[in-house]
Amino acid sequence: MNIDLEKPMTHLTENKEDRYRPKYHMTPPVGLLNDPNGFIYFKGMYHVFYQWNPFKTDHSTKYWGHFTSENLYEWHHETSVLAPEDWFDHSGCYSGSAIENKGNLIAFYTGNVKNEKGERETYQCMATSKDGMSLDKKGPILHLPDNYTAHFRDPKVWKQGSTWYMIVGTQTKEEEGMVAFFSSANLTDWEHHGPIAGSYMNGLDYFGYMWECPDLFSLSGQDILIVSPQGLEAKGYKYNNLFQSGYFIGEMNYEDKTFIHGTFTELDRGFDFYAPQTTIGSNGKRLLVAWMGMPDEDEKNHPTIDNGWIHGMTIPRELSVMEDKLYQKPVEEMKCLRTKEVRHNKVSISTDFHEFDGISGNSIEMVIDILSKDYEVFNMRVSDAIQVSYDSSTNMFSLTRRKYHSEIDEVRECKLEDLFSLNIFIDVSTIEIFINGGQEVFSARYFTDNEDSSVLFSCEGELSLNITKWDMKNSIIF
């Protein structure tokens, strides 16, 4: 469905400065963006569909918006492909996934319905496409099984051998989050096998009241379940966001329909990361994108609302497994955006914050190598809104963010036995920090009225660094 973007956002001031819009991160042209959907490489093109409200910067309605790319770094915004206009999805075309079958792109999504009594109904639906640029709805292919509430959504579909499988994020009638498992021979008739993971399974205690956006795949001989549980209580530096996104590593037994797994690990330690989705890239690598946002958290205070849009996506990441841990690093293709390299080798850092020539800019990438270890605390400051620190005495890495128009500082942390490298992407109002080759990642949105784009460094003790910085080209085309 083609949406007239002039009509829904006529309240915007023409030619108003859009000073917080990133240059190389996907953001909506107007309205609200959240979960990535149907991330797929299909007929030579990457597609990232996404939850989109083109009419307001809130969650009142959900279409599927659409970005395409031939190379993972230059993204074109396309016409919307799903609209909430049928009996099975008129309250929202919710999240889902996409697969290729017999030369067609087939999307699966959740049709959300509020009936006349205000009660929620949920339908898992299918839509097809020959070229990936439009979707033809086929209607519901899976109805709500017993034992689950209508919080039953976000189907992820894949093929193993000759059988198709689906997992769906669920809430049981006891209000416990789980992942339901299904199989099919033809993509339209699905058999329910019960939950494969959730509260009180695989050694877990209660683990949240709803699990969203599940994703199950094999990598380096291990099976990985990604999920976004809601309702976890904070434990020290863990689970400090309103909702979490993380993974379990284990073994999926397709004969027994069981998934035996280990502990839950957060995918991203920052403030803004939710509803990740993966796909197989053109080179066979497992890729991930996620919503750089958080449901229901401080959205009304984002200054981008004045320009009629809110939220964005992470850059695409490549996944790998090392020592039973999921590593994430920016896809190699992001290097194509680099320009105007500035390099400082073996520079010494002192207790006072110091700026190095050319290490500034509001749309940049940096690589920082830690050369010496005779220091107690390393600090890096971005404008007046972001500070990155590592305390070698406590092994604590932290990201501190100043809330917009506030004196309140928020902190996210994780334990890190050593710090030897940082790969940092700063893009106007976003920051993504890849630590030690992707061992940990911190993602955040930040807003400041300070137009100073300097990056400053300091330390307690003696520290030597290699610092390389590139300006990054604009790569989002509306």
Side-chain angles (χ1 to χ4, degrees):
M1 179 178 181
N2 194 2
I3 298 173
D4 181 358
L5 297 182
E6 299 297 328
K7 183 178 179 180
M9 307 302 283
T10 52
H11 64 281
L12 294 180
T13 302
E14 290 187 6
N15 301 319
K16 186 173 183 178
E17 182 184 10
D18 203 350
R19 65 183 304 267
Y20 294 109
R21 186 181 288 276
K23 307 298 184 184
Y24 58 89
H25 284 76
M26 286 178 275
T27 57
V30 293
L32 178 140
L33 169 153
N34 61 301
D35 303 6
N37 301 148
F39 184 27
I40 190 172
Y41 183 72
F42 176 71
K43 294 185 177 179
M45 187 80 70
Y46 288 96
H47 298 261
V48 174
F49 306 99
Y50 68 92
Q51 294 281 272
W52 185 27
N53 182 355
F55 302 102
K56 296 181 180 179
T57 53
D58 63 23
H59 295 271
S60 57
T61 189
K62 293 294 170 67
Y63 290 67
W64 269 30
H66 188 194
F67 282 98
T68 62
S69 177
E70 294 180 352
N71 50 35
L72 287 174
Y73 63 87
E74 184 177 74
W75 293 91
H76 297 252
H77 195 266
E78 309 288 358
T79 300
S80 174
V81 294
L82 286 177
E85 56 189 5
D86 291 283
W87 69 264
F88 48 82
D89 63 10
H90 65 73
S91 300
C93 297
Y94 278 20
S95 293
S97 60
I99 54 103
E100 182 175 1
N101 186 43
K102 299 178 180 179
N104 294 315
L105 185 153
I106 303 180
F108 299 85
Y109 70 100
T110 298
N112 184 51
V113 173
K114 294 291 182 67
N115 63 27
E116 295 177 354
K117 297 179 181 179
E119 299 167 331
R120 181 191 295 267
E121 298 175 2
T122 181
Y123 305 94
Q124 309 316 305
C125 305
M126 185 169 73
T128 63
S129 176
K130 294 185 179 299
D131 60 4
M133 304 306 292
S134 62
L135 288 172
D136 180 21
K137 291 182 184 179
K138 301 301 181 182
I141 47 88
L142 179 63
H143 293 258
L144 180 66
D146 293 336
N147 303 323
Y148 303 112
T149 74
H151 291 286
F152 180 87
R153 53 184 173 266
D154 313 333
K156 181 63 187 279
V157 176
W158 72 99
K159 195 174 190 179
Q160 182 76 14
S162 60
T163 303
W164 294 98
Y165 294 95
M166 177 193 293
I167 50 176
V168 181
T170 70
Q171 178 188 72
T172 68
K173 290 183 178 178
E174 292 75 31
E175 297 187 357
E176 297 163 358
M178 291 190 171
V179 171
F181 187 63
F182 302 82
S183 66
S184 175
N186 56 16
L187 293 174
T188 56
D189 300 302
W190 293 89
E191 181 180 358
H192 179 216
H193 302 289
I196 58 168
S199 293
Y200 305 110
M201 298 181 67
N202 288 294
L204 291 179
D205 293 324
Y206 173 78
F207 211 74
Y209 58 79
M210 173 66 193
W211 283 19
E212 292 194 310
C213 303
D215 193 344
L216 181 62
F217 55 90
S218 295
L219 189 61
S220 300
Q222 300 189 77
D223 295 315
I224 297 171
L225 174 66
I226 290 177
V227 70
S228 295
Q230 298 180 332
L232 300 186
E233 293 186 1
K235 293 183 178 180
Y237 63 83
K238 297 180 180 179
Y239 316 152
N240 281 273
N241 289 334
L242 185 61
F243 303 127
Q244 320 309 319
S245 292
Y247 64 92
F248 300 93
I249 295 181
E251 181 179 356
M252 182 69 211
N253 188 318
Y254 286 92
E255 291 185 4
D256 295 341
K257 312 298 189 294
T258 59
F259 178 63
I260 306 301
H261 62 73
T263 58
F264 179 78
T265 303
E266 290 175 88
L267 270 164
D268 193 291
R269 306 293 185 170
F271 298 93
D272 297 292
F273 181 95
Y274 195 72
Q277 187 167 111
T278 75
T279 195
I280 296 292
S282 61
N283 59 1
K285 301 293 187 180
R286 177 64 59 169
L287 309 180
L288 176 148
V289 293
W291 173 27
M292 258 185 119
M294 185 59 56
D296 307 322
E297 190 168 40
D298 204 34
E299 289 179 320
K300 65 182 183 301
N301 293 321
H302 284 216
T304 65
I305 290 174
D306 290 342
N307 286 86
W309 67 275
I310 188 171
H311 297 312
M313 296 286 185
T314 65
I315 61 174
R317 304 174 181 183
E318 180 186 320
L319 303 183
S320 60
V321 176
M322 296 176 59
E323 298 178 349
D324 292 326
K325 182 176 178 60
L326 199 59
Y327 275 61
Q328 305 169 73
K329 64 180 182 180
V331 295
E332 284 289 317
E333 289 86 347
M334 292 300 296
K335 293 179 180 179
C336 296
L337 296 180
R338 292 173 174 177
T339 183
K340 298 180 181 178
E341 179 182 296
V342 176
R343 185 182 295 270
H344 292 272
N345 290 329
K346 297 181 179 180
V347 294
S348 297
I349 308 299
S350 64
T351 55
D352 296 325
F353 274 100
H354 180 73
E355 178 184 0
F356 295 94
D357 289 343
I359 308 299
S360 63
N362 67 0
S363 188
I364 64 174
E365 179 191 355
M366 290 189 297
V367 172
I368 300 169
D369 298 315
I370 312 294
L371 302 180
S372 63
K373 306 297 181 181
D374 297 327
Y375 70 95
E376 293 182 6
V377 180
F378 162 73
N379 295 304
M380 185 190 78
R381 183 182 294 169
V382 179
S383 184
D384 60 354
I386 291 289
Q387 182 160 314
V388 174
S389 301
Y390 179 64
D391 188 326
S392 63
S393 63
T394 62
N395 298 122
M396 192 65 74
F397 188 97
S398 61
L399 172 65
T400 303
R401 175 176 70 180
R402 174 64 56 90
K403 294 191 73 172
Y404 185 58
H405 282 178
S406 168
E407 296 299 316
I408 298 174
D409 287 335
E410 306 172 292
V411 180
R412 294 292 181 268
E413 298 176 308
C414 77
K415 284 284 189 178
L416 200 65
E417 291 185 3
D418 192 12
L419 176 64
F420 55 84
S421 72
L422 297 169
N423 189 186
I424 301 173
F425 291 80
I426 297 171
D427 191 11
V428 184
S429 60
T430 75
I431 185 167
E432 294 182 71
I433 306 167
F434 297 84
I435 305 167
N436 295 346
Q439 179 184 359
E440 299 287 356
V441 187
F442 283 71
S443 299
R445 298 297 308 282
Y446 66 93
F447 306 104
T448 175
D449 293 331
N450 185 354
E451 297 187 10
D452 183 1
S453 61
S454 300
V455 180
L456 308 178
F457 300 87
S458 76
C459 80
E460 297 176 16
E462 297 182 3
L463 178 60
S464 176
L465 306 175
N466 286 342
I467 305 172
T468 308
K469 186 226 78 173
W470 298 268
D471 290 343
M472 298 290 274
K473 302 173 185 176
N474 296 358
S475 65
I476 309 300
I477 302 170
F478 294 113

